């Protein structure tokens, strides 16, 4: 009787030791959590939000960006444009009541104006990369907040 109890205990201990590494491995793998970053991109506008001149008037003007440059939104005739610094005009269309996308997909801006008139938002902009030693330059997508 004593030998059968002892054999059962030894068997249980040896079985427990067999799955200990598996448990330890599972816990070690569980310590690391990978969260994929959202992909930054500027999609071509598929639907447009109608914005007349009076609606756009609230957004016209200059906005200081976190990198020190100034984003300017303006209207020329019936078209809306955005320009960052002296980098050239981009024709934009409204895709929501406060978001604009450039038709050339080089710029996307969201402008948040609260009830006190404080402005926030962000700009996504494609900027040309620097070529090194004759290698083709890759464009980069920058995200800038409003100051």
């Amino acid at each position: 009787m004593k030998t059968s109890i002892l054999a059962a205990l030894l068997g249980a201990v040896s079985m427990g030791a067999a799955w200990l590494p598996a448990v330890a491995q599972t816990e070690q793998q569980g310590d690391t959590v990978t969260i994929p970053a959202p992909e930054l991109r500027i999609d071509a506008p598929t639907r447009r939000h109608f914005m007349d001149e009076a609606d756009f008037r609230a957004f016209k003007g200059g906005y200081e960006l976190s990198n020190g440059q100034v984003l300017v939104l303006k209207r020329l005739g019936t078209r809306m444009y955005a320009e960052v610094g002296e980098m050239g005009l981009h024709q934009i269309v409204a895709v929501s009541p406060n978001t604009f996308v450039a038709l050339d997909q080089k710029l996307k801006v969201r402008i948040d104006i609260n009830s006190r008139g404080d402005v926030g938002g962000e700009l996504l902009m494609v900027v040309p990369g620097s070529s090194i030693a004759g290698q083709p330059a890759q464009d980069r997508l920058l995200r800038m907040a409003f100051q």
Side-chain angles (χ1 to χ4, degrees), residues 11-144:
V13 169
S14 66
M15 286 182 68
W19 37 279
L20 257 175
V23 170
Q25 184 178 8
T26 304
E27 287 178 10
Q28 287 175 353
Q29 290 172 350
D31 289 345
T32 304
V33 176
T34 303
I35 300 172
E39 182 182 339
L40 293 179
R41 64 180 197 215
I42 301 171
D43 294 322
T46 55
R47 281 196 269 153
R48 296 184 185 186
H49 174 79
F50 176 75
M51 184 172 287
D52 63 17
E53 191 169 346
D55 294 334
F56 186 67
R57 195 173 298 128
F59 299 103
K60 279 176 38 174
Y63 300 90
E64 188 174 341
L65 301 171
S66 57
N67 69 352
Q69 292 182 304
V70 175
L71 165 70
V72 176
L73 297 183
K74 57 183 155 187
R75 191 174 191 105
L76 299 173
T78 59
R79 295 183 179 165
M80 301 176 290
Y81 293 91
E83 183 173 26
V84 176
E86 304 269 329
M87 300 174 97
L89 290 174
H90 299 270
Q91 185 179 351
I92 58 174
V93 294
V95 293
S96 77
N98 68 334
T99 304
F100 304 89
V101 174
L103 295 177
D104 62 5
Q105 294 177 253
K106 300 284 185 187
L107 187 143
K108 179 178 182 179
V109 62
R110 188 192 81 245
I111 302 172
D112 302 317
I113 303 173
N114 68 19
S115 59
R116 295 183 310 207
D118 297 328
V119 177
E122 72 176 1
L123 169 73
L124 291 177
M125 184 173 174
V126 176
V127 295
S130 309
S131 62
I132 300 172
Q135 296 295 322
Q138 282 219 331
D139 291 345
R140 298 178 298 142
L141 187 59
L142 295 182
R143 174 187 257 166
M144 293 170 265

